[in-house]
Amino acid sequence: MPDPAATTEEAPEEASWSGPVGEVRIIPVQGIPEIVRDCDLGAVIGGAIAAGGEALRDGDILAVTSKIASKALGLTAVRTDKRAVVREQSVRVVAERMTSTGATRIVEGRHGVVMAGAGIDASNTGPAETLLLLPDDPDEVARELLESLTAYLRLTLGQAPDLGLVLTDTAGRPWRGGQTDFALGAAGLRVLADYRGCSDVDGRPLEVTAIAVADEIAAAADLVKGKLAQVPVAILRGLGHLVEPGTATGARRLVRTGPGDFFAMGHVEAARAALGVDPGSPLAEAAGVSGVEMAA
């Protein structure tokens, strides 16, 4: 089904999809230890891959859970007032509802992604009082991690294959229940398979179809990483046509902004904002935030 918001995106320089692919393998990387601040995460991942008897190949794509990147970078906050931390990590509030655990806010984080609570993580973060934050520039983190892993491979093997890397996180989706992993950051690969400018099997031109392959990679990798298995890295093999060494295009391209953002505010928040009650403001709290039952 065509995506109406895709018509506002920039036109492609050329059609970028290179045709069907064959088998795709998803390989979990076992044996990664607890990550601590300032560790060389690329070397840790490379060492775990080697210890597991796997050898990276040209065209492999690594899916790395953002949690371990945030731990290595020391992106933490103290869990004294999580709502205050969410406000500090947010650019704007998109929607808010009262739940059994208090106010839940869907916000645009400083990283640019719209997520519940700015993607702040309170699970598997170490000390009970610790909150884990997402990086402000996930694409830069992905690039640095790919460079670190490449340097480790060159040091230990004498050479390094051409790789792609997707920094993954988990979020809910409008109109769909449950959560799925998506590409928070990316480096070394094409994030969109852009069919615009191609023709369908009937010869009609495709004008809006652009597949978010980086998100599909993240979601597929989570099938072997899981949420409780403590496997934060997976290798995807068979998608080498998407790997583009040195590409400057990251996952930020997948974030809707400006005229392409059809969903900039929830319907309740839009009505209240029109009356001067902006979501997330003290006035909104004083006026009362609707509960999820009322919103439903």
Side-chain angles (χ1 to χ4, degrees):
M1 178 177 178
D3 183 345
T7 60
T8 63
E9 295 179 2
E10 71 276 10
E13 294 180 4
E14 59 180 343
S16 63
W17 184 244
S18 59
V21 298
E23 179 184 70
V24 176
R25 292 185 61 201
I26 310 172
I27 307 164
V29 177
Q30 308 280 354
I32 293 179
E34 180 63 28
I35 301 301
V36 297
R37 182 171 186 165
D38 295 330
C39 73
D40 186 341
L41 187 55
V44 171
I45 292 172
I49 292 171
E54 191 63 58
L56 291 169
R57 308 175 186 175
D58 277 335
D60 283 351
I61 299 172
L62 283 88
V64 180
T65 303
S66 61
K67 180 176 292 185
I68 62 172
S70 291
K71 286 183 176 182
L73 293 168
L75 299 178
T76 61
V78 179
R79 193 203 305 242
T80 53
D81 185 349
K82 184 178 179 180
R83 284 184 292 179
V85 179
V86 170
R87 286 194 295 270
E88 197 274 330
Q89 293 292 311
S90 301
V91 174
R92 63 185 176 93
V93 176
V94 174
E96 55 187 347
R97 298 287 184 274
M98 291 301 298
T99 68
S100 60
T101 58
T104 294
R105 291 186 170 89
I106 309 299
V107 304
E108 178 188 343
R110 298 195 319 208
H111 40 68
V113 181
V114 174
M115 303 175 69
I120 293 170
D121 199 342
S123 63
N124 298 322
T125 60
E129 69 279 4
T130 300
L131 295 171
L132 206 58
L133 312 178
L134 293 177
D136 287 353
D137 190 344
D139 287 329
E140 180 62 24
V141 172
R143 284 191 291 269
E144 291 176 352
L145 180 53
L146 182 57
E147 290 173 1
S148 171
L149 174 60
T150 299
Y152 171 83
L153 295 173
R154 286 181 179 145
L155 180 65
T156 57
L157 303 177
Q159 60 180 357
D162 291 330
L163 305 170
L165 188 144
V166 175
L167 195 66
T168 73
D169 203 62
T170 307
R173 302 154 296 158
W175 311 301
R176 302 287 289 179
Q179 294 81 38
T180 186
D181 270 27
F182 71 98
L184 178 71
L189 77 156
R190 185 182 305 152
V191 298
L192 282 173
D194 203 335
Y195 289 86
R196 291 174 292 174
C198 298
S199 298
D200 66 13
V201 294
D202 297 314
R204 288 186 289 268
L206 298 173
E207 298 177 352
V208 298
T209 304
I211 307 301
V213 288
D215 285 344
E216 293 185 330
I217 287 167
D222 196 52
L223 294 173
V224 303
K225 291 192 298 165
K227 301 304 179 193
L228 303 176
Q230 295 183 313
V231 179
V233 180
I235 303 165
L236 288 93
R237 182 164 293 157
L239 297 172
H241 60 287
L242 298 176
V243 173
E244 295 181 340
T247 180
T249 302
R252 187 76 180 225
R253 181 185 178 186
L254 301 177
V255 178
R256 294 189 186 279
T257 59
D261 185 359
F262 284 21
F263 324 105
M265 190 175 290
H267 69 287
V268 172
E269 290 69 29
R272 285 161 61 96
L275 298 173
V277 183
D278 291 325
S281 67
L283 182 56
E285 293 188 5
V289 177
S290 61
V292 290
E293 295 84 3
M294 184 184 301

